[in-house]
Amino acid sequence: MTFGGYKDSPNPGHQKKKKIAIIGVSSVLLVAMVAAVAVGVTRNHGSSKTDDNANNGGDVSTSNKAIQTLCQPTDYRETCEKTLTSAAGNTSDYKALIKAGFQVAVEELNKAIANSTTLRELAKDSRTNQALENCKELIEYAIDDLQESFDKIGAFEYSKFDEYLADLKVWLSGAITYEQTCLDGFENTTGDAGTKMKQVLKTAQEITKNGLAMVTETTQLLTNLNIESVSRRLLSNDDQRRLQEPADHWFSEGQRRLLAATVDSVKADVVVAKDGSGKYKTINEALKDIPLKSNKTFVIHIKAGVYAEHVMIEKHMTHVTFIGDGPTKTKITGSKNFVDGTPTFKTATVAVVGNYFFAKDIGFENTAGAEKHQAVALRVSSDMSVFFNCRMDGHQDTLYAHAHRQFYRDCTISGTIDFVFGNSATVFQNCTMFVRKPMDNQQCIVTAQGRTDRREPSALILQGCTIAAEPTYLAVKDINRAYLGRPWKEFSRTIIMQSTIGAFIQPEGWLPWMGSFGLNTCFYAEIGNKGPGSDQANRVAWRGVKKITLDHAAKFTPGQFIGGDKWIKPTGVPYTSTLL
């Protein structure tokens, strides 16, 4: 559900190369790196030649074989081989491959843009124009996201291999999400702008998904090429211990104590108070004090009050912490909605993009009402973000858990249709989902997960949660039926475990999105639940509805699924990494 666009810039050529080189650029960097490793090792093991600058048939053949091997598991093999062959030439030097791969991606994307009349024909109506503008923003996020991920790889230390793979899968999935969100924004627009934009992004999407396929299959590929295994089970004891240590970029010991303290003892960097007792009266004023791309946690204490403003934690605002006086006392509220002309992506009362965001004791609300359809209270793209004892209140699309790794503990989310949705890797632990009364002709759906590629490490996980209903809904539950979820995208994945499910949930459990879409390719599972609505005897018999074991379910706990021991534990929030 996202929308975007491109604007003319003072230096259009520069902007196109930098910003329209989208996700595919960094994906190709990743691909080229893996290709270089494979080429280099194959060459060293299979040939006595060591001159990387030698220009002969053996080098070309080795390069081609490595590229074919790398492209074998991808879904878009022709695009993969063509791109890598163009980038590789006859070199096996990984730096040269990376540089060449980057350039090829830029050229292909710029060629796609140049050959399209999309940018000149798009501003025919307001929704289309907003869709294009949002696309521009999303593409910039994707470029930054993947460029930073590749920068992190650096020297490519084998001892960190598993850690890198986990991060890269998440970031590549984020890139895929940004691309798809851009295209989703053209729903309900006039003209053929959406079709043209889809064509413009086609190569970038294929390269990104190919990159994810390669990362997913990397360990097996390296094994096939007789490279020494670098999987976790073969790391040294020291490496094992280091990989389990909390991430040093998260919270210091002092900051952990701060988060465990009462609000009266909090020493914040900035205090916001409606009554004038703080430095600022609005949250947006306080955002100006946040240092850009800082590794130091910046704490904003938002005192009790209703703050009617739309708040955006930008990409460069990292390590930001919001602490309120309680989820019903400190409330950030807005009413932007789709019916009144705002794209779903932009309806959020609070949007969080900067990584390592933490919120405690705050309410997020969209008051537009059921009649206004899509109206987001909170949108989160922040990687390794944590929400503790917060409320998210709305109707349709209340919480947009958009992308990356997220953790919610002791939170309350209310809504009607798809009120927890997105394509993030998110675990809700000990949270309550309240179904509210919808419009007369509407049904209620708790989740709508949006995974578009089977390899994405994303899912919505409800562990130890309670799915309940507000009293006003119970009066209409037999008319406006309620379901656990529906497949928003083809590979939608949702797991509900060790939770309590109210009797108002329909016996079928899950609802189709449209016809048979996603019913065979989704992954929905329930295990260890209780309550009258947990009986699975009459659940839908889709191929995508799975019966899993506790051992399988353990893979979706926060310790394993999102690596929470490294970044959730240091926040000091209550946290169980395994099965409850």
Side-chain angles (χ1 to χ4, degrees):
M1 299 174 176
T2 296
F3 327 165
Y6 300 88
K7 278 186 176 179
D8 291 336
S9 66
N11 188 348
H14 174 72
Q15 293 297 323
K16 284 182 180 180
K17 286 189 176 182
K18 180 176 181 286
K19 297 180 180 178
I20 302 178
I22 330 183
I23 305 131
V25 171
S26 291
S27 299
V28 168
L29 291 181
L30 169 65
V31 167
M33 179 200 72
V34 179
V37 173
V39 170
V41 175
T42 302
R43 190 173 169 210
N44 288 338
H45 283 264
S47 172
S48 61
K49 298 182 180 295
T50 58
D51 182 5
D52 285 345
N53 294 318
N55 184 5
N56 57 55
D59 284 343
V60 174
S61 177
T62 301
S63 178
N64 285 340
K65 287 179 180 178
I67 290 170
Q68 290 171 5
T69 300
L70 284 167
C71 293
Q72 192 278 330
T74 64
D75 294 333
Y76 305 97
R77 195 178 305 176
E78 182 179 352
T79 298
C80 178
E81 292 184 1
K82 179 181 178 181
T83 302
L84 283 183
T85 300
S86 175
N90 62 355
T91 182
S92 60
D93 176 73
Y94 82 92
K95 291 182 180 179
L97 285 167
I98 291 170
K99 183 177 179 180
F102 190 97
Q103 185 59 40
V104 167
V106 170
E107 290 173 356
E108 288 192 359
L109 289 167
N110 283 330
K111 180 180 178 180
I113 295 294
N115 289 340
S116 171
T117 58
T118 302
L119 297 178
R120 296 192 296 270
E121 297 180 356
L122 289 177
K124 292 184 177 180
D125 65 82
S126 176
R127 288 200 186 276
T128 301
N129 191 51
Q130 290 182 82
L132 285 164
E133 179 59 27
N134 288 340
C135 272
K136 177 178 179 294
E137 178 181 331
L138 288 156
I139 288 167
E140 289 175 352
Y141 290 159
I143 294 169
D144 291 342
D145 215 22
L146 291 173
Q147 187 63 59
E148 288 170 7
S149 74
F150 201 79
D151 290 343
K152 178 182 176 181
I153 292 175
F156 194 71
E157 299 176 33
Y158 282 135
S159 64
K160 298 181 180 179
F161 195 77
D162 284 359
E163 182 181 348
Y164 289 155
L165 286 186
D167 286 345
L168 288 169
K169 288 175 186 177
V170 168
W171 291 327
L172 283 165
S173 176
I176 291 169
T177 302
Y178 289 135
E179 292 172 333
Q180 185 60 49
T181 305
C182 163
L183 296 179
D184 287 345
F186 291 95
E187 294 177 2
N188 300 311
T189 61
T190 60
D192 59 356
T195 301
K196 291 182 178 180
M197 183 57 72
K198 184 176 182 179
Q199 185 61 37
V200 167
L201 289 179
K202 180 177 182 294
T203 299
Q205 287 186 295
E206 291 180 356
I207 293 173
T208 308
K209 291 185 177 182
N210 283 346
L212 179 61
M214 289 181 184
V215 171
T216 302
E217 303 295 332
T218 291
T219 301
Q220 184 60 48
L221 288 170
L222 295 179
T223 300
N224 291 342
L225 291 168
N226 297 317
I227 296 177
E228 181 181 1
S229 175
V230 292
S231 67
R232 184 182 304 275
R233 63 181 180 274
L234 295 183
L235 293 179
S236 69
N237 290 336
D238 287 342
D239 287 334
Q240 292 267 21
R241 284 193 294 270
R242 180 182 51 72
L243 289 174
Q244 294 300 319
E245 291 173 355
D248 56 10
H249 56 250
W250 199 224
F251 287 88
S252 67
E253 185 62 36
Q255 288 157 338
R256 287 177 230 171
R257 290 196 299 270
L258 179 149
L259 293 175
T262 63
V263 292
D264 293 334
S265 63
V266 167
K267 181 174 174 53
D269 293 285
V270 177
V271 176
V272 178
K274 294 283 290 185
D275 62 9
S277 61
K279 183 177 180 181
Y280 299 114
K281 291 185 177 181
T282 69
I283 300 167
N284 278 298
E285 288 178 295
L287 298 185
K288 298 175 184 177
D289 287 2
I290 298 173
L292 305 184
K293 295 185 178 179
S294 171
N295 290 327
K296 178 183 179 297
T297 299
F298 189 88
V299 179
I300 301 176
H301 177 197
I302 308 171
K303 288 189 174 183
V306 177
Y307 297 83
E309 50 184 312
H310 288 87
V311 178
M312 175 76 166
I313 305 300
E314 302 279 1
K315 178 77 173 177
H316 57 261
M317 297 177 179
T318 59
H319 299 90
V320 175
T321 291
F322 278 8
I323 297 182
D325 286 349
T328 60
K329 295 179 179 178
T330 298
K331 185 181 296 185
I332 310 171
T333 185
S335 59
K336 288 185 178 180
N337 62 84
F338 184 80
V339 170
D340 289 343
T342 302
T344 304
F345 183 70
K346 287 296 188 181
T347 61
T349 301
V350 175
V352 184
V353 183
N355 292 338
Y356 317 121
F357 180 82
F358 183 97
K360 175 184 177 183
D361 300 335
I362 292 185
F364 306 88
E365 182 181 49
N366 192 309
T367 61
E371 67 276 9
K372 296 295 185 176
H373 298 284
Q374 297 96 323
V376 177
L378 174 67
R379 168 169 57 88
V380 183
S381 304
S382 170
D383 194 19
M384 299 188 186
S385 51
V386 177
F387 294 81
F388 173 48
N389 193 35
C390 291
R391 284 190 67 100
M392 300 85 183
D393 292 313
H395 285 81
Q396 184 171 344
D397 293 357
T398 303
L399 173 60
Y400 194 173
H402 188 214
H404 302 126
R405 289 162 286 200
Q406 305 175 25
F407 181 71
Y408 296 76
R409 173 75 189 209
D410 298 347
C411 292
T412 298
I413 304 104
S414 71
T416 55
I417 300 173
D418 306 334
F419 64 92
V420 179
F421 77 110
N423 191 32
S424 57
T426 293
V427 178
F428 299 90
Q429 197 172 78
N430 200 37
C431 293
T432 299
M433 284 67 178
F434 269 122
V435 174
R436 305 179 72 177
K437 182 180 178 180
M439 295 175 66
D440 291 343
N441 62 343
Q442 293 178 333
Q443 300 180 95
C444 292
I445 307 99
V446 178
T447 67
Q449 206 277 336
R451 192 169 64 142
T452 61
D453 188 285
R454 67 186 184 279
R455 300 181 182 89
E456 289 184 85
S458 56
L460 296 175
I461 314 296
L462 279 62
Q463 183 189 23
C465 293
T466 298
I467 300 176
E470 293 185 345
T472 53
Y473 170 75
L474 293 176
V476 298
K477 66 180 178 61
D478 295 328
I479 301 172
N480 306 104
R481 297 179 177 183
Y483 300 85
L484 297 173
R486 59 176 178 166
W488 178 30
K489 300 297 181 183
E490 187 176 5
F491 296 96
S492 177
R493 183 162 63 172
T494 300
I495 296 89
I496 302 175
M497 64 172 81
Q498 302 177 302
S499 296
T500 301
I501 303 176
F504 62 91
I505 292 295
Q506 293 299 306
E508 303 97 300
W510 308 91
L511 182 70
W513 183 272
M514 183 180 298
S516 61
F517 174 79
L519 304 190
N520 294 330
T521 51
C522 67
F523 186 106
Y524 289 158
E526 303 170 61
I527 185 168
N529 299 310
K530 59 184 179 180
S534 66
D535 185 357
Q536 298 183 58
N538 295 309
R539 291 295 193 249
V540 290
W542 308 339
R543 186 184 302 171
V545 175
K546 309 295 185 181
K547 296 288 186 181
I548 63 175
T549 64
L550 282 174
D551 285 343
H552 192 175
K555 298 180 185 298
F556 296 105
T557 56
Q560 291 193 49
F561 189 63
I562 54 178
D565 289 355
K566 290 177 67 65
W567 57 276
I568 300 172
K569 274 187 177 180
T571 66
V573 304
Y575 164 70
T576 301
S577 64
T578 59
L579 292 170
L580 301 178

